[in-house]
């Protein structure tokens, strides 16, 4: 890996009175790619893989509430609908009528739904270790909204952990939900902490831990995926979310042009042992 190229150029976009920060690799004229990271991660999760992509203008976003991006207004929950709106607002500001999307984990779910929202605008779609959100029944929707309202109020001004130094935050990140190497954790943490009195704390909004206000039904999920026209590559990690993806196998038939690849490894395989292999598969579906 070209270590000196791991971190991209810092850029930002003004979107709906908020700042969405991003990192940029490559240059205008290459294949246009927006990348969407996973829950509680940031744009740095695409730094290793970006070094292996060829002929790209690659922009990885810090989605709202993550990394260096603004938090949303008080009292609101984070919902993927706003992330989808942000994606197309940013593409419009870049003058990108058509472009490619790559997403990891929560970002893959956002990317898939975005590609079903405006299918004519997405040319290639890369999904890393996630496919679609868990469905909800109509009967459970009121309880979902109630839980979201309570969660947001409870977390609105909640204090977050303070670490003496960045290394302590990296160790804590390695003990998270999914196993991650020290090198990969360092990339994410260095962009995901901020200095405070006594050390460092997470820059992400505590409300990201709150329940979504609304979720889609099975029929709605199928409708979104059924509208995807982009060439699609789905990567599943044997030690990541493959078990969950396997339960969604029936959804693969809704996407007209999709290939699935299973790799041995953990949830962050695109940052670690399979970054080159995954970059090659992404190269195959990213269009000019």
């Amino acid at each position: 890996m070209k270590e000196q190229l791991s971190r991209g150029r810092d850029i930002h976009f003004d979107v709906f009175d908020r700042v969405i920060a991003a990192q940029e690799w490559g240059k205008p004229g290459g294949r246009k790619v927006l990348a969407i990271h996973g829950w509680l991660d940031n744009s740095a999760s695409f730094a290793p893989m970006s070094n292996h992509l060829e002929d790209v203008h690659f922009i990885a976003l810090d989605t709202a509430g993550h990394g260096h991006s603004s938090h949303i207004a008080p009292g609101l929950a984070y919902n993927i609908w706003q992330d989808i709106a942000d994606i197309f607002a940013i593409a419009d500001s870049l003058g990108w009528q058509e472009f490619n999307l790559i997403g990891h984990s929560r970002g893959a779910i956002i990317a898939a739904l975005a590609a079903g929202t405006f299918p004519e605008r997405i040319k290639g779609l890369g999904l890393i270790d996630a496919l679609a959100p868990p469905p909800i029944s109509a009967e459970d929707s009121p309880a979902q909204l109630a839980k979201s309202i309570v969660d947001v109020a409870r977390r609105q001004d909640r204090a977050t952990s303070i670490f003496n130094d960045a290394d302590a935050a990296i160790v804590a990140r390695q003990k998270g939900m999914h196993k991650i190497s020290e090198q990969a954790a360092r990339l994410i943490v260095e962009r995901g902490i901020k200095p405070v009195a006594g050390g460092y704390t997470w820059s992400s909004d505590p409300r990201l831990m709150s329940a979504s206000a609304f979720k889609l039904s099975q029929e709605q999920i199928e409708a979104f995926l059924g509208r995807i026209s982009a060439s699609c590559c789905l990567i599943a990690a044997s030690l990541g979310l493959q078990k969950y993806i396997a339960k969604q196998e029936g959804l693969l038939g809704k996407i007209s042009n999709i290939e699935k690849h299973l790799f041995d490894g953990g949830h962050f395989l695109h940052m670690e042992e399979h970054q080159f292999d995954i970059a090659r598969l992404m190269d195959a579906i990213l269009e000019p």
Side-chain angles (χ1 to χ4, degrees), residues 9-240:
R9 299 180 292 274
D10 282 316
I11 58 174
H12 72 274
F13 303 92
D14 295 319
V15 180
F16 307 123
D17 294 324
R18 290 180 286 106
V19 172
I20 296 295
Q23 294 187 75
E24 178 183 39
W25 293 265
K27 58 185 179 180
R31 293 174 295 172
K32 305 175 182 71
V33 184
L34 284 182
I36 316 300
H37 62 79
W39 181 58
L40 299 182
D41 299 330
N42 53 61
S43 58
S45 69
F46 290 102
M49 188 183 74
S50 70
N51 294 326
H52 305 301
L53 293 172
E54 300 177 359
D55 186 30
V56 290
H57 185 190
F58 189 94
I59 297 177
L61 307 180
D62 292 339
T63 58
H66 294 83
H68 295 174
S69 289
S70 299
H71 297 183
I72 60 175
L76 300 179
Y78 284 86
N79 291 289
I80 55 180
W81 329 122
Q82 188 57 59
D83 293 306
I84 294 171
D86 289 350
I87 286 171
F88 289 105
I90 287 168
D92 289 345
S93 73
L94 289 164
W96 291 6
Q97 179 57 33
E98 296 179 320
F99 58 98
N100 301 278
L101 266 179
I102 294 177
H104 170 245
S105 194
R106 178 181 183 267
I109 292 171
I110 292 168
L113 296 178
T117 302
F118 291 107
E120 70 280 3
R121 298 192 64 177
I122 307 304
K123 305 180 76 173
L125 179 64
L127 308 177
I128 303 173
D129 214 31
L131 173 61
I136 192 172
S137 67
E139 292 77 12
D140 289 337
S141 294
Q144 179 71 30
L145 178 57
K147 177 173 173 53
S148 177
I149 292 171
V150 171
D151 275 359
V152 168
R154 182 164 56 93
R155 298 179 187 278
Q156 182 65 57
D157 298 311
R158 172 173 286 190
T160 57
S161 301
I162 296 178
F163 304 97
N164 292 331
D165 52 36
D167 286 341
I170 291 166
V171 170
R173 188 65 176 81
Q174 288 185 267
K175 296 178 180 178
M177 184 182 303
H178 297 285
K179 184 179 179 181
I180 185 171
S181 68
E182 186 276 337
Q183 183 180 17
R186 182 174 296 276
L187 277 172
I188 292 174
V189 168
E190 286 180 348
R191 193 171 178 87
I193 55 174
K194 61 182 180 180
V196 293
Y200 294 88
T201 192
W202 305 118
S203 62
S204 55
D205 192 332
R207 285 175 292 165
L208 287 163
M209 302 289 288
S210 303
S212 301
F214 294 99
K215 292 186 177 182
L216 296 173
S217 68
Q218 181 69 21
E219 293 78 12
Q220 289 171 321
I221 292 169
E222 292 177 1
F224 274 94
L225 299 189
R227 283 170 51 86
I228 294 173
S229 59
S231 298
C232 182
C233 178
L234 170 62
I235 305 295
S238 62
L239 301 178

